[in-house]
Amino acid sequence: MAATLTEDLIQIYDALFAAFGHQHWWPAKTPFETMVGAILTQNVSWTNAAQAIANLEDAGMLDPRLLAEADTADIAPLIVPSRYYNQKAERIREFSRVYVREFRADPAAMAAMETGELRERLLALRGFGKETTDTILLYVCEKPVFVVDAYTRRIFSRYGFLPEGASYDLTQRLFAENLEPDAELFNDYHAQIVRLGNTICKRSPLCDRCPIREVRGTLRCAVGRG
Ligand code: SF4
């Protein structure tokens, strides 16, 4: 384990935490809502996904057994705000069926499965990429798996820790190989990254407002140092 990189990653987290406070993720009332949210937020903002979740809830459909048995033509109109609604209705129904059939709609039964095996099972589902799968592993099953998204790649390549256009796996390894496997830390670290990427390290970065532009005087972002 590279001690320096470990310290740098921890210092960056500490600076984000000091600036933003604990993020208390995932923003959902139940594990099932988290999983449906992970599907609905694919390729759209969280605001869009949250509206679709609210519609499912208002219709009394945010239930794995109901969604497993529903016609996709009944699910799709409720999730229009998440865009790609026909495709996502299929994904939600297929996932709900597996969740009911193989895990008795019990998140503890999912969490009891060995991490690699569960990851393979979820990745085999239609429309389940690595980000959606790892989100469920971390935020539902509390497995110490670091979730990577576009913000993670952008921020850490700008910082100088990753090459531009780094792959999902390479980005994930940066954290997995340099931090202790700690689900609580990974939970809030990813949430902090989303907060920074969403509000400050945008496509056009607002470096003057960035809490990690310079950390303790020694650690500096390659882009933000100007
Ligand atoms: S200093 Fe600028 S480029 Fe670097 S992480 Fe902060 S906002 Fe992004």
Side-chain angles (χ1 to χ4, degrees):
M1 192 173 280
T4 309
L5 206 41
T6 300
E7 282 163 20
D8 287 354
L9 291 174
I10 291 292
Q11 288 197 1
I12 285 173
Y13 171 73
D14 287 346
L16 291 168
F17 183 92
F20 300 137
H22 197 283
Q23 295 299 294
H24 303 289
W25 268 36
W26 177 281
K29 294 191 277 295
T30 66
F32 185 65
E33 185 181 318
T34 300
M35 295 189 274
V36 171
I39 298 170
L40 288 170
T41 200
Q42 291 169 344
N43 303 310
V44 295
S45 73
W46 177 248
T47 314
N48 291 61
Q51 184 57 58
I53 290 168
N55 291 350
L56 285 169
E57 194 169 21
D58 290 348
M61 288 293 289
L62 200 49
D63 177 282
R65 291 187 173 81
L66 293 179
L67 286 169
E69 286 163 18
D71 197 321
T72 52
D74 293 327
I75 303 172
L78 298 169
I79 61 168
V80 166
S82 74
R83 297 168 64 195
Y84 319 105
Y85 44 88
N86 288 321
Q87 208 178 44
K88 289 183 180 177
E90 292 274 1
R91 289 175 187 177
I92 287 172
R93 187 176 65 169
E94 181 177 336
F95 169 70
S96 298
R97 286 179 172 175
V98 168
Y99 186 49
V100 170
R101 195 174 56 230
E102 298 180 23
F103 301 103
R104 306 181 307 280
D106 179 2
M110 277 180 88
M113 192 182 258
E114 189 272 324
T115 306
E117 199 184 332
L118 179 58
R119 193 172 195 260
E120 285 309 309
R121 180 67 193 98
L122 295 176
L123 283 171
L125 294 175
R126 224 174 339 156
F128 268 60
K130 291 174 182 172
E131 186 182 340
T132 305
T133 296
D134 289 343
T135 296
I136 292 173
L137 292 177
L138 178 62
Y139 288 102
V140 174
C141 302
E142 297 178 14
K143 307 272 193 191
V145 175
F146 205 93
V147 177
V148 170
D149 66 353
Y151 293 139
T152 318
R153 292 194 188 116
R154 180 199 287 166
I155 292 166
F156 286 88
S157 61
R158 281 175 174 173
Y159 222 86
F161 288 171
L162 290 168
E164 209 176 310
S167 68
Y168 189 99
D169 293 349
L170 183 66
T171 307
Q172 191 173 52
R173 280 204 300 274
L174 170 68
F175 297 90
E177 291 176 0
N178 292 292
L179 294 174
E180 294 297 334
D182 178 342
E184 246 176 77
L185 173 67
F186 289 4
N187 173 320
D188 197 52
Y189 208 144
H190 175 66
Q192 299 288 351
I193 287 169
V194 172
R195 174 82 179 258
L196 183 73
N198 205 11
T199 58
I200 295 173
C201 195
K202 306 188 204 193
R203 216 175 291 269
S204 300
L206 307 172
C207 301
D208 290 347
R209 291 172 40 196
C210 183
I212 60 167
R213 181 180 190 176
E214 190 175 306
V215 180
R216 298 195 176 163
T218 49
L219 185 59
R220 292 187 190 88
C221 174
V223 168
R225 70 167 65 122

